Amino acid sequence: MAEAAPRLTALAEELLGAPLPVRIRAWDGSEAGPPGAPTLVVRNRRALRRLLWRPGELGLARAWVAGELDIEGDVYEALDRLAGLFWERNPATGKGRSALTTVAALRDPGLRAAARELIVLAGAGLPPAPPREEVRRRRGVLHSPRRDRAAISHHYNVGNDFYERVLGPSMVYSCAYWEDGSTLEDAQRAKLDLICRKLALKPGDRLLDVGCGWGSMVLHAAREYGAAAVGVTLSTEQAAYARKRIADEGLTDRVEIRVQDYRDVRDGPYEAISSIGMAEHVGSAQYREYAASLHSLLKPGGRLLNHQIARRPLDPGNEERYHVDEFIDAYVFPDGELAPVGTTVSLLEEAGFEVRDVEAIREHYALTLRQWVANLEANWAEAVRFSSPGRARVWKLYMAASAVSFERNRIGVNQILAVRTPESGTSGIPLRTRDWRR
């Protein structure tokens, strides 16, 4: 029998309709593909069975999480090369075939022959069970409070020890704000301070931090600006960690952490609200309710800082074609959704906000993600011990692939400053907005 790697390369190119831009090393030790390119290692033919039973992104993800697929060489270069082949077709040239559409193309007799050979290579057997890290049965209506709690638990209750190894001492799980020579801690502190300045916080102001994570924003606002801060989260592990940090800093008289849905907050008005990396969990169907809830909790003249990842808009009139990334949905952010920044701005304004500033910080998130990947790799053994090998592999793939997506402008991230402007029209925003002073 011929060596596996050359056969796999030829089959992949036949099925995808384009040259394979990476090398392949198969389970039998054989290699094929462009010299010097990153290497996709197929450690076990079970990976092929996963792809045959679930072609496309989810099959690939399951093989990766199970350790049956790996990458040797520059992981960012490998993912960048593979992204254009497996997930995107070149609309200008028409060359290539997305792995997500290969099944429909199998009506072609030549492609069916290639698929039959792939079946032979994969070996007999039923599809392997999905890795245990995959989200299984989902109960309840999409974005109902009960289902949102389950989704948040899947993502954030991985373990505080695991997140400490990835995020570092700041324990901030959102895009940092970088300058030349910054460390991750410097950049995260700069981001928190930027938000406080945009919100014009002053001593005694009430701040609501929606999706407060491990408490870094409320701690910074109380310690550096004298704010009285409330943080809400649906993660019990995050809440416990944040409360300990607050007690250790002696700020329990000024900072409160609640395990509470934003829809259940009733103790407004607040002078300021921050929502940092939380709105991606809200969902398009609930976004109007989210925006209206925050608007109702602000006093007239109060400010909202909404820090949110955005996707690129689809062709005009085709927004209904948007689908959630299968890997992210199954392993990282269940039920998460991204919207174009223009849609988010419109929905905030429909809720009554006056949007005063939008700052795009896409490149900053790529730098942040690369640092998180470096932290994970440097603490790999501990990260695995505190979670599982599969979970650590999920986070490495998701963070590295996301870094490439931000670098290539496939997704972005924006800080939107909005005001509940009173009837008088006095917004309190300075004439030179980027000074961030009243």
Side-chain angles (χ1 to χ4, degrees), residues 172-247:
V172 179
Y173 193 23
S174 55
C175 175
Y177 200 69
W178 295 83
E179 293 183 0
D180 290 342
S182 293
T183 66
L184 177 62
E185 295 307 303
D186 292 337
Q188 290 293 14
R189 186 165 49 251
K191 186 268 300 295
L192 297 176
D193 207 63
L194 176 68
I195 291 172
C196 289
R197 296 199 311 274
K198 288 182 176 182
L199 291 173
L201 289 179
K202 61 184 186 299
D205 279 354
R206 296 188 73 213
L207 167 70
L208 174 65
D209 187 31
V210 181
C212 65
W214 292 271
S216 299
M217 175 63 194
V218 289
L219 278 168
H220 188 87
R223 183 179 58 240
E224 304 298 331
Y225 287 82
V230 174
V232 296
T233 176
L234 294 178
S235 167
T236 54
E237 290 198 22
Q238 284 185 334
Y241 190 98
R243 286 167 181 155
K244 183 178 185 306
R245 294 176 76 188
I246 291 160

Side-chain angles (χ1 to χ4, degrees), residues 101-164:
T101 60
T102 295
V103 175
L106 288 179
R107 297 186 183 92
D108 180 271
L111 293 182
R112 287 204 300 271
R116 285 194 294 271
E117 186 172 354
L118 187 60
I119 291 169
V120 173
L121 267 177
L126 294 172
R132 64 185 178 88
E133 290 81 8
E134 185 171 313
V135 174
R136 304 300 171 86
R137 185 179 303 170
R138 306 186 196 195
R139 296 182 174 86
V141 177
L142 180 64
H143 293 301
S144 63
R146 175 184 175 184
R147 183 154 161 175
D148 279 353
R149 281 194 297 272
I152 293 298
S153 176
H154 174 86
H155 187 78
Y156 293 105
N157 289 352
V158 173
N160 295 329
D161 291 324
F162 174 84
Y163 276 108
E164 283 182 336

